[in-house]
Amino acid sequence: MALTIVPLTLAGFDDLPRHVRRCVYWEVAPDGATLTDTEFDKEAWLSMLMLQWGSCGQVAIDHAVDGSARVVGVAFYAPPSSVPRATHFPTAPVSPDAVLLTWVGAEPGMEPRVKEELVSAVCTDLVRRGVRAVEAFALLTPVGMLTEDVVAQLDCGPCGCKELPLSDADFLEGMGFETVAPHHRFPRLRLELSEGLGWKAGVEHALEQLLAASAAEAALRTALEDTGDAAAPVGGSTVPRPARAS
């Protein structure tokens, strides 16, 4: 699978999976007015948010060998003040210095790395914009054990979406999120962006150091061979060689 992650644009809205275009779980308060065209309302919400705040979505595109491409995953994020549903969770409110990750989803049959790369793209975008942290409401209760009240809390309403609107807590923790507001069903998790992306910077820095050390050692060995001296391990002690017979 040749996967690319690109920012969502209004021009790409029609390319999103139908259930994503229709779902307005986060964009409309549960006690709001009855909607008749949720796809229109979702597009209008995205349009206003992009105009006022900027990029609010990342899209995973799978490029096939025949040259075709299709959207296989989407992530949405926004300031909590722009997300009406955000105040209706028992672990609300979202921290004032954080952006809310509302949705991370991949199409059926896609590799887990699709969602992982989407979250990484969200974090990268927010770091560039100076955001300190990203938070998310998660689902802790196993899907097969959802009670009626939990199902009611996750009801998408008029769009009839069959997808769960919350990310699994284990998935978010695997991406570096930590629980900041515990709850037996809907914990709120947080990722400090400087720390969350630190592992990537650390790996890159370690590789750079390794390559630099290897290059330095190779250069040292070449120099020693040219002078006829024995090469010594970098950082180790040099064992004196016996004097050559004249």
Side-chain angles (χ1 to χ4, degrees):
M1 179 173 63
L3 188 71
T4 59
I5 309 295
V6 299
L8 174 65
T9 63
L10 284 180
F13 179 78
D14 291 338
D15 296 327
L16 299 179
R18 186 168 182 266
H19 68 91
V20 175
R21 299 196 310 267
R22 296 183 60 193
C23 182
V24 290
Y25 178 83
W26 292 100
E27 295 79 9
V28 177
D31 53 358
T34 302
L35 304 177
T36 58
D37 188 348
T38 59
E39 187 168 334
F40 173 82
D41 291 294
K42 180 66 165 275
E43 187 174 15
W45 180 84
L46 286 171
S47 177
M48 181 174 296
L49 186 58
M50 288 181 183
L51 180 64
Q52 297 178 348
W53 185 67
S55 177
C56 59
Q58 298 292 328
V59 180
I61 302 176
D62 178 26
H63 300 271
V65 294
D66 62 0
S68 62
R70 68 185 182 104
V71 174
V72 295
V74 186
F76 292 115
Y77 48 103
S81 59
S82 299
V83 185
R85 178 76 65 161
T87 60
H88 291 262
F89 280 86
T91 48
V94 175
S95 302
D97 64 343
V99 164
L100 180 63
L101 177 67
T102 59
W103 169 271
V104 183
E107 292 302 283
M110 289 295 103
E111 300 175 7
R113 76 180 182 95
V114 172
K115 292 173 61 176
E116 294 171 358
E117 298 231 7
L118 283 168
V119 173
S120 294
V122 170
C123 292
T124 299
D125 176 47
L126 294 179
V127 165
R128 290 171 179 167
R129 295 160 71 173
V131 177
R132 291 186 56 185
V134 57
E135 295 188 359
F137 295 105
L139 180 63
L140 190 60
T141 307
V143 175
M145 299 175 60
L146 297 181
T147 58
E148 291 185 3
D149 58 330
V150 176
V151 172
Q153 176 80 357
L154 300 179
D155 182 16
C156 288
C159 66
C161 182
K162 301 301 181 183
E163 299 290 323
L164 288 176
L166 297 184
S167 293
D168 182 76
D170 289 340
F171 165 72
L172 292 176
E173 289 175 350
M175 293 299 297
F177 284 73
E178 296 182 352
T179 300
V180 291
H183 190 267
H184 63 289
R185 289 171 181 161
F186 306 116
R188 177 164 50 87
L189 283 71
R190 177 182 174 95
L191 176 65
E192 301 290 342
L193 292 180
S194 59
E195 298 175 6
L197 294 180
W199 66 272
K200 286 188 175 182
V203 170
E204 293 173 355
H205 181 61
L207 288 175
E208 290 175 356
Q209 287 188 319
L210 181 60
L211 291 173
S214 297
E217 184 173 356
L220 178 61
R221 288 183 182 278
T222 300
L224 290 174
E225 289 172 357
D226 290 342
T227 59
D229 295 329
V234 175
S237 60
T238 303
V239 179
R241 298 181 60 192
R244 296 179 182 178
S246 53

